[in-house]
Amino acid sequence: MAVPVAVLDCDLLLYGRGQRTLDRFRLEDVTDEYLVATYGFPRRFIRYLVELLGASLTRPTQRSRAISPETQVLAALGFYTSGSFQTRMGDAMGISQASMSRCVANVTEALVERASRFIRFPQDEAAVQGLKEDFYGLAGMPGVLGVVDCTHVAIKAPNAEDLAYVNRKGLHSLNCLMVCDARGALLSAETHWPGSLPDCAVLQQAALASQFENALHKDGWLLGDSSFFLRTWLMTPLHIPETPAEYRYNMAHSATHNVIERTFRTIRSRFRCLDGSKGTLQYSPEKSSHIILACCVLHNISLEHGLDVWSSPAMGHVEQPEEEYEQMESMDSEACRIRQELLLTHFS
C-alpha cells in the first residue's frame, strides 16, 4: 500500500510541463483485488485507460507540477463506481476532493471525445449478419439489428428550464435513449434528453431515428417496447395478441428485448453514480449527460476486455417513470404490413 501523505490542494496543479507529476499512488503497490474493490476495475484495464486517455490528460501549461494521468483515471473510476468523492480515496492518492472533482471532469471529457469510437453500429456486412444471428439465437426473432429503450438518471434541479427535466414521477432526470446488441454492448447512446419527454418523443427527435429513417441501416429493424410507435424499422409488441402466432411473436419479442433491461441494470450496478443510491448527480444537465455517456463508453470498453457484462448483481436504481402506451399501435400502414409479414413468415 502507498504510504499516506498530506493532502494537497491540486486544483491548480492538474497539468504541468510534463516534467513532474504528483505521483502519490502506484498501481504496482496494491493488489488487483484492492483495485477492483476501490475503483471497480483490474490493473490491466486501468493501464489500458491510462494509455488511451493519456494524451488528453497531459495538456501542457505553465504550471510546474501536475496530477498524473494514472491518478486522474483512478479518481474518475472511483467516482463512477462509488457515486461519491470519498475522503479516504483522495487521501490514498494525495489529492483533495476538489482536485478529484477536476480529475473526473477531465477524464469524462476525454471519454466523451472517444465515444464514437466505442459506441457505434457495425458497418461491414459480415458484422451486421453476425448481429442478426446473435439476436436470432436468443428467441428466434429474425432481422434484429438492436434493442432500444430509454432509462432515466436522476440529476439535481437545474437553475434554468427546471420543468423540462421533471419526469412523470415528479423527479428531475435525464431520459437516456440507448440501443444494445445481444451481448449488451451499446450501439447507440443519447444521454441528454430532458426527463419530461416521454420515450416516444425522445426517439422521434433523436439522431437514431434519423439514421434509420434515412435507411443508413438496411435489411433489419430495432425492437422496442410499447412505449414506442411501430415503424418500418422498429418492431413493437402487439397490444392485444389473439392468435397463436401473435402470442409467439410477443414472447420472442419480449425475450429478445429483455437484453436492454439487463444491460441497464448492469450499467447501474457497475457505475453507482448512476443508480441513485448515493443521491442524484450533482451537476448541470450537460455535465450529467457527459458523465452518463462516459460510463457508457467504459461499459463497452469493459466488454472488449472480457469483463463479464452480466457479472455484477443489480443494486439500487432510480424509479423509472411509467409510460402511457395507449394508441401506440397501427400508426404506419407500411409498418403494420411488415410486422404482419413477419408474423406469417416466422411465427405461424
Side-chain angles (χ1 to χ4, degrees), residues 19-83:
Q19 305 297 320
R20 303 169 64 193
T21 60
L22 296 172
D23 291 309
R24 304 304 190 190
F25 185 97
R26 296 193 309 167
L27 293 178
E28 293 76 14
D29 293 337
V30 295
T31 65
D32 245 15
E33 289 75 14
Y34 173 83
L35 291 172
V36 172
T38 307
Y39 304 103
F41 294 95
R43 191 186 327 271
R44 60 183 175 83
F45 183 87
I46 295 171
R47 282 176 172 161
Y48 171 80
L49 288 181
V50 172
E51 181 178 351
L52 175 70
L53 307 178
S56 298
L57 302 178
T58 54
R59 302 183 184 101
T61 74
Q62 296 304 309
R63 304 293 174 186
S64 61
R65 308 175 77 190
I67 297 178
S68 69
E70 180 178 287
T71 299
Q72 292 186 60
V73 167
L74 287 169
L77 291 178
F79 169 73
Y80 297 147
T81 58
S82 72

Side-chain angles (χ1 to χ4, degrees), residues 281-297:
L281 284 174
Q282 296 298 303
Y283 297 92
S284 68
E286 181 181 8
K287 289 183 178 180
S288 295
S289 170
H290 286 186
I291 288 172
I292 300 167
L293 185 56
C295 291
C296 291
V297 174

Side-chain angles (χ1 to χ4, degrees), residues 195-235:
S196 65
L197 287 179
D199 294 358
C200 60
V202 169
L203 180 59
Q204 185 176 0
Q205 300 176 49
L208 176 70
S210 298
Q211 292 175 16
F212 277 86
E213 293 286 0
N214 295 326
L216 295 182
H217 307 288
K218 300 178 181 179
D219 302 323
W221 40 70
L222 301 176
L223 295 188
D225 64 20
S226 298
S227 64
F228 299 111
F229 290 104
L230 177 68
R231 311 239 187 138
T232 57
W233 47 269
L234 177 62
M235 295 292 103

